[in-house]
Amino acid sequence: MPSKHLELYVGMVGAVAGIVAVTVGFLAGTWGVFYAILTFLEIGSPAILSAGITAIILLTVGYLEYRQVDTIERFADAQTVSRDAAPELYETATRIAAQLDVPVPRIAIAERDVPEALAVGFRPDAVHLVLSRGTLEALEGTDELEAVLAHELAHVKNRDAMIMTAVSLPVVLAEGLGTRVSKVENPGWGAIVVVPLAFLSTVVWVLGRTIVARLSRVRERAADRAAAEATGSPAALASALQRLDRNIAETPNQDLRAVAGVSSLSILSLEPDEPEKVMLGPDGETEPSYWWLRKRLHKTERLLFDTHPPTRERIEALSAEARQRERTRA
């Protein structure tokens, strides 16, 4: 197996092993909180009762969390277009889908200037390919469009939506549990339950989200490689990423915040590189308090939780692959 493929494989295996360990730790920690309390109160069969309470709480939190999550299509604010309305776009998508051996997706267009491109759907036969006007206008030539579509359909072939949803489960549960216990006011004696669960949820959320982000970055690189192989042109994808990245950098922060819900699924991260700085004071000349700390925390958050590799690294990897192909053909 080539070293690049081995690196991707090892990265995915390591991330999955990490998320399994975090999940086991979360379940064991939640069980341990109730086991300690029931043992202290000398209530019979604390191990069995703790397991039952843990299962009920986590199942309830999971149900409540997924029940209130809006669909990605609604986040993307996209409308499905017919083959008659976009024949060239469907023709290109059909050609790329055949090369990757996946069903032809339905295409939806978001009337936004922010460059978005994402594949939505758990099953390959029920995928929506969402593209924004900003993406379609930024790309130049059929080669760049093919490269972007190939990247997104590579995610479909690799079933990334299903995998990422599955590995994100402990993060969703930890966040839901933490949110609910934090809303408890004046817990009194209940603090012996609330405080440990709040601490445990925070730790699991940070560790879990960090590992999920790492896995996401690995799978983005895998989709880049698959797209380059399907189209035969790593340079086209590198060029497309460069154009989209430039447009994202020029997009106002408030517009990027509006699409934060689909940032992790899009071909490039839609998160601002810098936090928004609002000057204070009557004349707008006063810097916000602890601005240096806010900037550092923002950079740390991006380092830990960014779901995409740095665009520069992706472009360099694709450019190196293009040069290697040129040398092979020479």
Side-chain angles (χ1 to χ4, degrees), residues 209-229:
R209 192 175 170 190
T210 301
I211 295 171
V212 169
R214 175 179 172 78
L215 178 59
S216 178
R217 293 193 293 270
V218 170
R219 301 191 77 81
E220 287 295 333
R221 291 191 179 95
D224 282 348
R225 290 184 57 81
E229 291 173 3

Side-chain angles (χ1 to χ4, degrees), residues 173-185:
L173 291 175
E175 183 176 17
L177 181 60
T179 298
R180 283 161 179 81
V181 298
S182 67
K183 291 180 179 179
V184 178
E185 298 181 1

